[in-house]
Amino acid sequence: MTAGDGAAVLVEDRDDRTVLRLNRPDVRNAIDQQMVDELHAACTRLEQRPRVALIVGEGTTFAAGADIAQLRERRRDDALRGINSGIFDRIRRLPMPTIALIDGYALGGGAELAYACDFRLGTPSTRIGNPEPGLGILAAAGAGWRLAELVGEPVAKEILLAGRVLGADEALAVHLLNEVVEPGDLETAGHRWADRIAAQAPLAIRLTKSLFHAPRDAHPLIDDIAQAVLFETDDKHDRMTAFLERRKKD
């Protein structure tokens, strides 16, 4: 575990994964500038040494949104800097998959952080929504376009325009959550998903994630190039050889 005094993000490195703990439980893990800065630092580590990342909130809340006291004082130039949109887009572009472990509220910026992840696991108390218009602003850190990709336009508009907050069962039904478990099992479930990802060929996972988010007009050329790279790897040869040997024994 790496953390200084008063760290807003605790970083726990393991051999094949990293756990990022949002560490402002006294304010329900509200996302402030310090947390953004520390998430950027964590992204730098994950870009330099790619691995699966799990993001979890300390306490009983994933992240209740941006720090309203800071947000109230931000002006036009702050919005144009893309403080939250920049870090969430960087998280989405991390080389390896990311898993959000959502207990309690994921609202506003907290929801947008979850949307930026590849997988989202929740508990029965999970609540996800974007109440920004009620505060006189909009969900500008990805929800305005990413949410429709995740749940479809009708549900996205209910959340973004009518203030609907999804409970765990509703979020699971529209596939915004991949799984719902009891709070005490949340991190175990997250590591189970990480185990499933880690069992795959790492470079194949990295290239598949990159292809998934590539512009449509880049296909199929980049698919063929990525496959050509993988065809030359020892990992591909070894895994296929093991598969054929297992089949001979069946």
Side-chain angles (χ1 to χ4, degrees):
M1 186 83 74
T2 60
D5 292 339
V9 179
L10 306 178
V11 181
E12 177 186 337
D13 285 328
R14 303 191 182 187
D15 288 341
D16 60 358
R17 69 200 62 175
T18 292
V19 180
L20 304 179
R21 299 184 185 277
L22 310 181
N23 188 40
R24 302 186 72 216
D26 53 322
V27 289
R28 300 193 299 175
N29 296 319
I31 301 170
D32 66 350
Q33 185 64 58
Q34 180 186 352
M35 184 178 288
V36 168
D37 293 342
E38 292 181 20
L39 285 171
H40 273 297
C43 285
T44 297
R45 294 159 60 98
L46 289 165
E47 290 159 354
Q48 292 172 345
R49 185 182 174 192
R51 63 182 83 182
V52 176
L54 296 89
I55 304 177
V56 61
E58 286 287 275
T60 58
T61 298
F62 177 70
D67 188 306
I68 301 301
Q70 287 189 8
L71 197 60
R72 184 183 62 180
E73 302 308 316
R74 290 180 183 171
R75 309 295 291 178
R76 176 193 59 199
D77 289 348
D78 296 308
L80 293 175
R81 286 171 52 208
I83 296 170
N84 284 359
S85 62
I87 183 57
F88 298 161
D89 191 58
R90 191 175 182 185
I91 288 170
R92 184 185 73 84
R93 295 175 184 275
L94 285 172
M96 292 292 282
T98 52
I99 306 169
L101 307 181
I102 307 170
D103 188 23
Y105 288 103
L107 299 175
E112 292 181 298
L113 171 56
Y115 303 156
C117 293
D118 298 293
F119 302 97
R120 287 160 294 278
L121 311 184
T123 71
S125 67
T126 297
R127 300 292 182 270
I128 305 176
N130 291 94
E132 284 91 339
L135 296 170
I137 58 174
L138 58 82
W145 55 273
R146 189 172 286 140
L147 186 55
E149 294 179 351
L150 293 172
V151 301
E153 182 178 320
V155 176
K157 284 183 174 177
E158 289 180 20
I159 294 170
L160 296 171
L161 303 179
R164 181 178 175 188
V165 174
L166 298 184
D169 290 342
E170 296 171 307
L172 184 64
V174 297
H175 304 293
L176 189 56
L177 291 179
N178 298 96
E179 185 177 1
V180 175
V181 299
E182 292 301 317
D185 298 326
L186 185 58
E187 290 197 39
T188 299
H191 284 291
R192 174 164 41 80
W193 279 79
D195 289 341
R196 291 168 62 180
I197 296 167
Q200 314 304 311
L203 184 57
I205 291 298
R206 288 184 61 181
L207 292 178
T208 299
K209 179 174 177 178
S210 296
L211 292 175
F212 192 91
H213 292 296
R216 185 171 181 81
D217 61 3
H219 303 284
L221 176 61
I222 60 171
D223 304 68
D224 294 338
I225 293 172
Q227 190 75 296
V229 170
L230 293 171
F231 274 8
E232 296 296 322
T233 61
D234 291 340
D235 202 3
K236 169 254 190 181
H237 182 271
D238 293 345
R239 286 171 178 265
M240 288 191 177
T241 299
F243 173 84
L244 293 172
E245 290 177 350
R246 288 195 302 270
R247 193 169 67 176
K248 286 180 182 180
K249 297 176 181 178
D250 291 340

